Amino acid sequence: MSLKAVFFDVDGTLAETERDGHRVAFNQAFAALGVPIEWSVEEYGAWLAVTGGKERIRAYCDRHPEVGEIDDALIERIHLEKVAAYRRIVESGGIVLRPGVARLIEELRSCGVVMGITTTTMLDSLDVLLSVEIGPHWEEIFAVVGAGDVVPKKKPDPAIYSWALGALGAASSEVVAVEDSRNGLLAATGAGIATLVTPSYYTAGEDFSEASLVADGLGDPGKESRWRGRDNASGEGLVTQGVLASILS
Ligand SMILES: [Mg+2]
């Protein structure tokens, strides 16, 4: 079986969007609206367990009554401000692709391997990141883009991966997924897709035992990555099309 397609998660996998982007954007929105909250890198990591921006703010305020009265209308304003702040951060170069991402995308493209996006992040956040970091033609590079609410069930449910396989007309045995978190890994393997995990800042300690390969990153020339496979074989080097083909289910 040859490698037909590679599906990429976005947050944490293509870039450290949570720590350097979404967290900073929340803090800028809180400050702009006079809300006395400022999330440290560590504290934000704990609140990431609450999925969804508005839901995260509500859960935090419920736990911290000293913040004061925060009604739904204010949460809506905070969220709108946060979306705008995230866009400014990305447009000013505050978020960059992780090492090796641009290299691997270019290699897969030149080899004719189809690429897809499998994320539940909002399309607006995805669009600004890829427009700035890859270019305005990014939608031509990815044959399928699963983002936002394209499926109702979020990861770790495999729905987003099943949707992408169907949209592409591919079998799971022809596809490899690249993820950074246990939730993403479970979503991909739940759809029968062999998965490479490149852990990110907030997911480094998670259990990736279902992964076909775990690498500390995709690697760029001169900055090779360390990786370990399902059989604990260790290697070192760049994650290439050949490496991804070798882990097909
Ligand atoms: Mg992720």
Side-chain angles (χ1 to χ4, degrees):
M1 189 63 74
S2 63
L3 179 65
K4 177 174 181 175
V6 177
F7 291 157
F8 290 93
D9 167 55
V10 174
D11 290 317
T13 299
L14 297 186
E16 286 282 6
T17 51
E18 292 292 0
R19 183 191 63 192
D20 305 334
H22 294 295
R23 179 188 68 89
V24 177
F26 275 118
N27 286 339
Q28 290 181 2
F30 293 142
L33 294 167
V35 177
I37 303 175
E38 185 172 5
W39 281 332
S40 68
V41 168
E42 187 180 14
E43 187 170 36
Y44 184 70
W47 286 97
L48 273 177
V50 181
T51 313
K54 286 182 264 193
E55 292 83 353
R56 192 169 301 142
I57 298 167
R58 168 54 62 208
Y60 182 89
C61 292
D62 288 348
R63 180 78 67 83
H64 294 270
E66 71 276 13
V67 169
E69 174 68 19
I70 308 280
D71 61 17
D72 288 349
L74 180 52
I75 288 183
E76 193 66 43
R77 286 176 61 207
I78 294 169
H79 195 250
L80 283 175
E81 185 69 31
K82 181 259 168 183
V83 169
Y86 183 80
R87 177 168 277 276
R88 286 194 301 272
I89 290 166
V90 175
E91 286 178 340
S92 65
I95 301 280
V96 294
L97 298 179
R98 290 182 61 182
V101 170
R103 173 194 57 77
L104 181 61
I105 287 173
E106 189 49 43
E107 181 187 333
L108 294 171
R109 191 184 183 196
S110 68
C111 294
V113 176
V114 174
M115 285 173 277
I117 295 287
T118 40
T119 179
T120 46
T121 204
M122 300 311 293
L123 189 57
D124 186 76
S125 298
L126 171 68
D127 179 50
V128 67
L129 177 68
L130 297 186
S131 295
V132 169
E133 288 294 308
I134 292 178
H137 63 295
W138 72 267
E139 281 185 280
E140 296 164 21
I141 294 177
F142 296 97
V144 290
V145 177
D149 298 321
V150 66
V151 292
K153 288 188 175 174
K154 307 297 185 205
K155 298 174 186 177
D157 191 282
I160 185 73
Y161 279 100
S162 299
W163 176 90
L165 286 174
L168 196 61
S172 59
S173 57
E174 305 172 295
V175 178
V176 166
V178 185
E179 281 279 359
D180 73 302
S181 70
R182 176 157 186 79
N183 274 347
L185 169 64
L186 292 176
T189 54
I193 299 174
T195 306
L196 160 69
V197 176
T198 52
S200 61
Y201 183 83
Y202 284 123
T203 64
E206 295 182 353
D207 173 12
F208 301 123
S209 47
E210 294 87 351
S212 299
L213 193 65
V214 181
D216 59 7
L218 299 175
D220 268 328
K223 288 183 269 182
E224 276 74 10
S225 288
R226 291 182 310 279
W227 66 58
R228 57 186 191 277
R230 195 160 32 193
D231 57 358
N232 277 332
S234 61
E236 193 157 341
L238 306 180
V239 173
T240 61
Q241 181 218 4
V243 170
L244 295 179
S246 75
I247 64 169
L248 281 171
S249 297

